[in-house]
Amino acid sequence: MGLLGISYYAANQWLVAALQPPHLTAICPWEGFTDFYRDFNRHGGILSRFGQAWQDQQIFTVQYGVGERGRRNPNNGELVAGPPTLSEDELAENRVETIMEAQRRKLLDEFSRARTPDLARIEVPVLSAANWAHHLHTRGNFEGYAAVSSPQKWLEVHGHEHYAEFYTDYGVGLQKRFFGHFLKDNDTGWEQQPPVRLNVRHLDGSFEGRDETEWPLARTQWTRFNLDAGSGALDTSVPTEEHTADFPALGPGVNFWTEPLAEPLEITGPASARVRLASSTADADLFVTLRVQDPEGQEVSLVSAIDEHGVLAVGWLRASHRELDLERSLPHRPWHRHTRTLALIPGQAVHLDVEIWPTSLVIPPGYRLGVTLSGRDFQMPGDGPWPVAYGIEQRGNGVFVHDDPDDRPAGIFDGVTTLYTGPDSGTSLLLPVIPARK
């Protein structure tokens, strides 16, 4: 058997590589994921509906035995799921309900660990190709790049729809240069490839290609933007007075905005939120959504990997999952254990540290940066009509919504949330501000 390289989008190539198949020489995980629990199944401990929708539409429809109920290959006329036509009961008996089992397990246990790669075992050369805005794959490529043991590793970050760049001249050329170097020993110029290649997003839909030497960027100005419930302001100055804001957990939440920017603001990197809140019930879900408004006060949406009306960035956390692993946590990347629940005492405030997945955008002067805190998925304002995929309206988060009634039972997640701001609350965003290069 000759040298082996892996390059594919969406599949968990990281897990395959960690199993160390014979002759594996190099891998290029293109928009993959690394953490079955945190990336795929539960965002901040909150169940994502994507797994069930994806399984029903893309797995069960081509299960062997669907037979005549399935599609035919347009080239040869053969049934894509094989010739047998089995009953629904027979099909059910022949499959393992991985997604259903994952949904049943609310905490991180051996089921999820067995499906999460040990990234340190990956020692072969790695080209990790990430997308800025995917609620499944973004985190996986950044975490994979950071955690592999390989001394030869590169990070590439692009935009556009999920997997679209995989097929472009840019994407194909990148992969050919990488694999040509490591599999064929060709002179592809890969020896001069910088460790990090970013395609920084701009509001007009363009991307600024930029080479860097590390991730997160060493010149990042980690800037804390404080929230003020008294004025609705988002500002780098600390509020002088304590204020609270109550909002229904299933409502649109509360919004905070900067003043119109006096100069361009680039945000590129991972981010986090520190929020002090209380709930009228024994638990609460917190959704942190970064947004942008134009000079006329209109919402700006971004063509993201999963939604043509995407938001800038999102973070999620279930309050009862707020326990941190202090050894693995970083200021810009909190790491939650998800191994036990810590119920809230109704009316008693706690601090939540929320991971906001990496993002990138240059915001022009005159625009405003905002954040919405809510107890449900953010929805883009407006009447639509909105695109629909898997039966889910795409209004900023694509098909990655978190509204399963069994995971968010009434009486617990439909209460009133109280947000605390002020000099002693710590309620703020930590954002990666990138200064312009001289």
Side-chain angles (χ1 to χ4, degrees):
M1 183 176 180
L3 300 178
L4 173 65
I6 300 175
S7 181
Y8 195 70
Y9 64 82
N12 196 349
Q13 315 95 317
W14 298 101
L15 183 56
V16 175
L19 296 176
Q20 298 177 316
H23 308 288
L24 180 64
T25 303
I27 65 167
C28 174
W30 197 284
E31 299 185 35
F33 69 93
T34 59
D35 194 313
F36 184 87
Y37 185 93
R38 296 176 177 88
D39 299 351
F40 179 82
N41 193 40
R42 290 181 175 270
H43 294 145
I46 309 169
L47 180 66
S48 168
R49 274 183 57 193
F50 170 74
Q52 188 69 54
W54 169 76
Q55 175 182 257
D56 293 348
Q57 297 289 328
Q58 296 198 25
I59 303 301
F60 291 173
T61 55
V62 293
Q63 180 183 344
Y64 183 76
V66 170
E68 294 291 343
R69 293 194 300 274
R71 297 181 179 181
R72 290 185 177 274
N73 187 315
N75 299 305
N76 57 24
E78 295 183 359
L79 293 166
V80 298
T85 302
L86 306 180
S87 69
E88 291 295 338
D89 290 341
E90 290 173 313
L91 290 173
E93 290 179 0
N94 289 343
R95 63 183 177 237
V96 176
E97 295 280 2
T98 301
I99 302 301
M100 186 177 297
E101 183 65 20
Q103 292 175 345
R104 186 181 68 81
R105 298 169 181 263
K106 297 186 177 182
L107 296 176
L108 198 164
D109 58 14
E110 287 305 316
F111 182 86
S112 292
R113 293 190 185 97
R115 290 158 177 80
T116 298
D118 180 358
L119 296 169
R121 296 185 63 186
I122 299 177
E123 300 176 346
V124 298
V126 173
L127 169 59
S128 178
N131 193 307
W132 287 121
H134 199 295
H135 290 5
L136 168 60
H137 299 302
T138 293
R139 185 182 187 277
N141 278 91
F142 286 103
E143 289 296 325
Y145 171 76
V148 297
S149 296
S150 173
Q152 296 177 293
K153 59 181 181 179
W154 291 265
L155 174 67
E156 185 275 342
V157 195
H158 52 268
H160 301 301
E161 296 85 351
H162 173 47
Y163 72 74
E165 199 74 272
F166 183 84
Y167 297 106
T168 64
D169 291 342
Y170 166 79
V172 172
L174 189 73
Q175 295 169 79
K176 284 186 173 181
R177 289 175 54 232
F178 174 71
F179 285 116
H181 176 77
F182 286 107
L183 300 186
K184 299 182 177 181
D185 199 27
N186 289 343
D187 183 10
T188 67
W190 194 260
E191 297 90 341
Q192 287 77 46
Q193 181 72 17
V196 176
R197 173 67 176 182
L198 303 181
N199 289 281
V200 178
R201 295 195 293 180
H202 288 259
L203 281 179
D204 62 1
S206 65
F207 293 87
E208 173 194 347
R210 202 167 67 200
D211 294 327
E212 303 285 353
T213 57
E214 72 287 308
W215 180 266
L217 306 186
R219 67 180 184 282
T220 301
Q221 296 177 350
W222 297 104
T223 305
R224 195 161 291 280
F225 288 75
N226 298 283
L227 285 63
D228 188 347
S231 63
L234 179 65
D235 196 88
T236 54
S237 61
V238 179
T240 58
E241 298 181 1
E242 302 285 344
H243 291 285
T244 60
D246 294 338
F247 60 92
L250 299 185
V254 290
N255 306 314
F256 301 86
W257 294 97
T258 64
E259 290 295 317
L261 299 177
E263 55 188 29
L265 173 66
E266 179 184 335
I267 296 174
T268 296
S272 66
R274 174 82 163 165
V275 178
R276 183 167 176 79
L277 59 74
S279 174
S280 62
T281 66
D283 210 344
D285 287 341
L286 181 63
F287 295 73
V288 180
T289 306
L290 300 188
R291 304 166 58 191
V292 179
Q293 279 186 351
D294 68 17
E296 286 71 44
Q298 299 299 309
E299 190 80 23
V300 175
S301 64
L302 304 168
V303 177
S304 71
I306 56 173
D307 196 327
E308 62 184 81
H309 301 286
V311 296
L312 173 55
V314 182
W316 314 262
L317 185 63
R318 178 156 289 175
S320 59
H321 286 235
R322 63 188 179 276
E323 183 179 24
L324 293 171
D325 183 331
L326 297 180
E327 291 186 359
R328 300 192 68 172
S329 290
L330 300 168
H332 56 266
R333 201 281 322 274
W335 190 279
H336 298 90
R337 292 183 181 277
H338 299 296
T339 53
R340 64 171 179 164
T341 57
L342 302 174
L344 298 178
I345 298 174
Q348 182 171 311
V350 298
H351 277 110
L352 306 184
D353 293 281
V354 185
E355 176 186 8
I356 300 174
W357 286 14
T359 188
S360 174
L361 185 67
V362 177
I363 307 174
Y367 286 68
R368 298 201 297 170
L369 171 68
V371 62
T372 293
L373 303 183
S374 60
R376 62 167 172 80
D377 291 295
F378 172 79
Q379 293 183 338
M380 279 286 176
D383 297 328
W386 305 100
V388 176
Y390 296 167
I392 300 171
E393 274 193 336
Q394 299 183 71
R395 297 186 61 177
N397 295 281
V399 297
F400 293 86
V401 295
H402 308 76
D403 55 4
D404 185 279
D406 294 328
D407 185 63
R408 289 160 51 88
I412 298 180
F413 294 98
D414 58 355
V416 175
T417 303
T418 301
L419 173 70
Y420 294 77
T421 68
D424 299 322
S425 70
T427 299
S428 59
L429 301 175
L430 182 63
L431 300 181
V433 175
I434 307 300
R437 280 177 168 168
K438 295 182 180 180

